[in-house]
């Protein structure tokens, strides 16, 4: 014991003397820095598909954003994204007196850091026409320097065709954003119909930042277009989203075969997506349903309680994801309401003999006026 105490004393003294010898009057307080860490977003896969967390719509100083391109990559890494696209405007560059206008430059600056951070960076630009028709995102596009910067409405289709000729994936951005200021702006207009019929329009933003464009969900469902969700971020993401209260940035969950750009493109073209914004998800019923059942499981009954002639069974419902499900009973006898917080479980009960309970998931939309219906099997 005496030897151990002596050893501890020697270690302490050696540490003290080394510290004293290297003290030049400057003490580092680096422990107060924000730790370099990546948030892991838990969303389970299904049917051999892996859910990739994607944001295909954001801006930098090279259009009307307020940050440098590498900041967008750092944010994406810290916030758990797998895939991102910087989609700076073509027709709108308010910082042109301070920053050289180059529609490709943000991608070029960001791609090195994205590779180092293991973020799949997709080339993108926003074709920014007057509303209507509004704005279109082109991702997987090529050199954008020859795109049309003139916002004359007679050039709308030509502007989009610049990206189409490069085999870009085109989606219509935030179609309802001017609904309160421009009459007729939130409609399935002739140009959109033309782009759709010519297989040019691939998807529509249903969630844009903090806005849910409900009609866009119906258009996607009715026309088999891909459901998209994006931040459309201009400022620092952390200035807008209340991460401290559990918020996630708005994003598209892409159900891909592999974690590659090619698999992302294939999934987008096949429409295997769900838009997600913290508490809410929206998409085609097939994919919203598969996502729900991948996340939620019900345990066998673990307890029975008999009261007079009635026996009640108890079950644990687990949410194995970072999604949020608020549910209301629609058929069967049992617990009326369930709130499944991220990575949590709840106890529900039902009379003996009840084989299943049907719930409406109030936070999961499959049409503008329809929520996902699910059935919990009781064993």
């Amino acid at each position: 014991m005496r030897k151990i105490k002596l050893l501890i004393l020697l270690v302490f003294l050696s540490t003290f003397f080394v510290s004293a010898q290297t003290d030049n009057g400057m003490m580092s307080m680096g422990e107060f820095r924000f730790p370099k860490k990546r948030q892991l977003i838990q969303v389970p896969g299904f049917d051999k598909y892996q859910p990739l967390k994607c944001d295909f719509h954001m801006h930098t100083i090279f259009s009307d954003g307020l940050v440098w391109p590498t900041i967008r990559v750092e944010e994406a890494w810290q916030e758990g994204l797998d895939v991102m696209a910087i989609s700076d405007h073509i027709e709108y560059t308010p910082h042109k007196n301070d920053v050289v206008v180059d529609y490709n430059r943000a991608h070029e600056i960001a791609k090195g850091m994205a590779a180092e951070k293991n973020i799949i960076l997709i080339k993108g630009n926003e074709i920014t026409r007057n509303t209507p028709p509004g704005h279109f995102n082109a991702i997987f596009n090529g050199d954008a320097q020859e795109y049309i910067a003139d916002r004359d409405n007679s050039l709308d289709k030509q502007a989009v065709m610049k990206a189409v000729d490069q085999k870009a994936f085109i989606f219509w951005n935030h179609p309802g954003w001017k609904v309160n200021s421009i009459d007729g702006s939130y409609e399935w207009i002739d140009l959109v119909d033309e782009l759709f019929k010519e297989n040019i329009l691939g998807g529509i933003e249903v969630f844009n930042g903090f806005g849910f464009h409900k009609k866009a969900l119906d258009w996607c469902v009715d026309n088999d277009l891909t459901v998209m969700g994006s931040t459309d971020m201009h400022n620092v993401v952390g200035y807008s989203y209340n991460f401290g209260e559990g918020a996630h940035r708005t994003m598209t969950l892409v159900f891909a075969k592999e974690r590659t750009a090619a698999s992302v493109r294939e999934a987008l073209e096949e429409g295997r997506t769900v838009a997600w914004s913290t508490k809410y998800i929206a998409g085609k019923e097939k994919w919203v349903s598969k996502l729900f059942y991948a996340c939620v499981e019900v345990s066998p009954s673990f307890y029975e309680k008999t009261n007079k002639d009635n026996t009640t069974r108890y079950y644990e419902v687990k949410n194995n994801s970072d999604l949020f499900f608020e549910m209301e009973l629609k058929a069967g006898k049992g617990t009326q309401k369930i709130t499944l917080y991220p990575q949590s479980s709840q106890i529900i009960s039902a009379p003996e003999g009840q084989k299943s309970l049907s719930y409406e998931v109030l936070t999961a939309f499959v049409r503008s006026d329809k929520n996902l219906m699910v059935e919990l099997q009781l064993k």
Side-chain angles (χ1 to χ4, degrees):
M1 179 62 72
R2 186 175 180 182
K3 291 182 179 180
I4 293 175
K5 290 182 178 180
L6 180 59
L7 179 60
I8 293 173
L9 178 62
L10 290 174
V11 170
F12 171 78
L13 290 174
S14 63
T15 303
F16 174 81
F17 285 123
V18 168
S19 176
Q21 290 170 2
T22 57
D23 185 355
N24 58 4
M26 173 65 186
M27 184 181 77
S28 173
M29 295 182 289
E31 68 267 28
F32 303 121
R33 293 182 185 273
F34 188 85
K36 292 290 184 181
K37 64 178 182 179
R38 172 175 167 84
Q39 180 183 3
L40 298 178
I41 300 176
Q42 302 296 331
V43 180
F46 53 81
D47 296 348
K48 298 183 179 179
Y49 297 128
Q50 53 181 298
L52 301 182
K53 283 72 72 176
C54 311
D55 187 353
F56 300 108
H57 186 179
M58 61 188 86
H59 299 277
T60 74
I61 199 75
F62 285 92
S63 62
D64 61 339
L66 300 177
V67 304
W68 196 248
T70 51
I71 298 298
R72 290 285 177 242
V73 178
E74 187 69 34
E75 290 172 327
W77 180 78
Q78 289 184 1
E79 295 164 28
L81 290 187
D82 300 298
V83 185
M84 62 173 285
I86 294 171
S87 56
D88 278 323
H89 298 284
I90 299 298
E91 296 90 336
Y92 186 51
T93 52
H95 305 305
K96 61 186 176 183
N97 292 333
D98 303 296
V99 179
V100 175
V101 175
D102 184 334
Y103 306 131
N104 304 308
R105 187 60 180 146
H107 178 82
E108 291 300 311
I109 292 172
K111 66 182 182 181
M113 177 179 282
E116 294 171 3
K117 296 287 188 181
N118 196 24
I119 299 290
I120 299 172
L121 179 66
I122 307 297
K123 179 73 164 59
N125 286 101
E126 185 168 10
I127 300 168
T128 318
R129 311 310 296 171
N130 294 319
T131 302
H135 304 176
F136 299 88
N137 251 33
I139 56 176
F140 297 96
N141 62 324
D143 184 356
Q145 280 299 93
E146 300 303 319
Y147 281 23
I148 296 173
D150 189 340
R151 298 180 80 163
D152 185 332
N153 281 128
S154 67
L155 302 174
D156 287 342
K157 187 173 182 182
Q158 293 180 49
V160 175
M161 291 306 296
K162 288 287 187 178
V164 174
D165 291 342
Q166 297 172 341
K167 303 186 184 307
F169 180 85
I170 309 293
F171 61 94
W172 188 14
N173 290 343
H174 46 64
W177 77 308
K178 292 287 188 178
V179 66
N180 294 320
S181 58
I182 300 178
D183 291 339
S185 64
Y186 195 12
E187 302 296 339
W188 187 263
I189 58 175
D190 290 341
L191 176 62
V192 171
D193 192 56
E194 188 176 348
L195 295 176
F196 166 69
K197 289 178 177 177
E198 295 180 16
N199 294 318
I200 291 171
L201 185 65
I204 311 177
E205 263 186 353
V206 172
F207 289 169
N208 174 274
F210 302 101
F212 178 8
H213 300 253
K214 290 186 173 183
K215 289 169 66 172
L217 178 57
D218 294 339
W219 291 334
C220 287
V221 172
D222 294 338
N223 298 293
D224 196 23
L225 293 168
T226 301
V227 174
M228 308 294 292
S230 311
T231 57
D232 192 5
M233 186 51 56
H234 290 70
N235 209 329
V236 177
V237 178
Y239 287 177
S240 298
Y241 287 84
N242 192 357
F243 295 138
E245 296 297 324
H248 290 283
R249 71 155 72 193
T250 304
M251 66 183 74
T252 307
L253 297 176
V254 173
F255 307 116
K257 295 177 181 178
E258 299 175 342
R259 195 181 185 279
T260 64
S263 286
V264 171
R265 176 68 185 260
E266 186 269 340
L268 290 175
E269 291 178 346
E270 293 298 317
R272 295 196 306 270
T273 66
V274 167
W276 178 29
S277 186
T278 304
K279 286 179 62 175
Y280 300 99
I281 56 176
K284 298 172 187 174
E285 187 167 3
K286 174 181 179 179
W287 302 114
V288 176
S289 177
K290 283 181 176 289
L291 178 59
F292 175 87
Y293 287 115
C295 295
V296 177
E297 62 176 307
V298 183
S299 73
S301 174
F302 62 85
Y303 177 67
E304 293 184 359
K305 181 170 68 176
T306 301
N307 183 12
K308 294 184 179 180
D309 297 328
N310 299 319
T311 298
T312 301
R313 289 187 169 182
Y314 290 79
Y315 308 82
E316 184 177 23
V317 184
K318 294 181 180 179
N319 177 11
N320 298 310
S321 76
D322 283 339
L323 277 66
F324 179 100
F325 301 109
E326 186 177 328
M327 304 160 63
E328 189 173 276
L329 185 66
K330 292 299 177 181
K333 295 181 179 180
T335 300
Q336 292 294 310
K337 294 185 178 181
I338 308 172
T339 300
L340 290 175
Y341 296 93
Q343 298 288 344
S344 69
S345 68
Q346 295 286 355
I347 303 300
I348 66 170
S349 62
E352 183 181 35
Q354 185 75 53
K355 300 299 182 184
S356 65
L357 296 172
S358 295
Y359 286 90
E360 180 181 13
V361 186
L362 303 178
T363 52
F365 288 82
V366 295
R367 289 194 71 90
S368 63
D369 58 354
K370 182 182 177 183
N371 298 107
L372 179 69
M373 294 295 300
V374 298
E375 191 169 275
L376 301 185
Q377 300 298 322
L378 305 179
K379 299 178 181 179

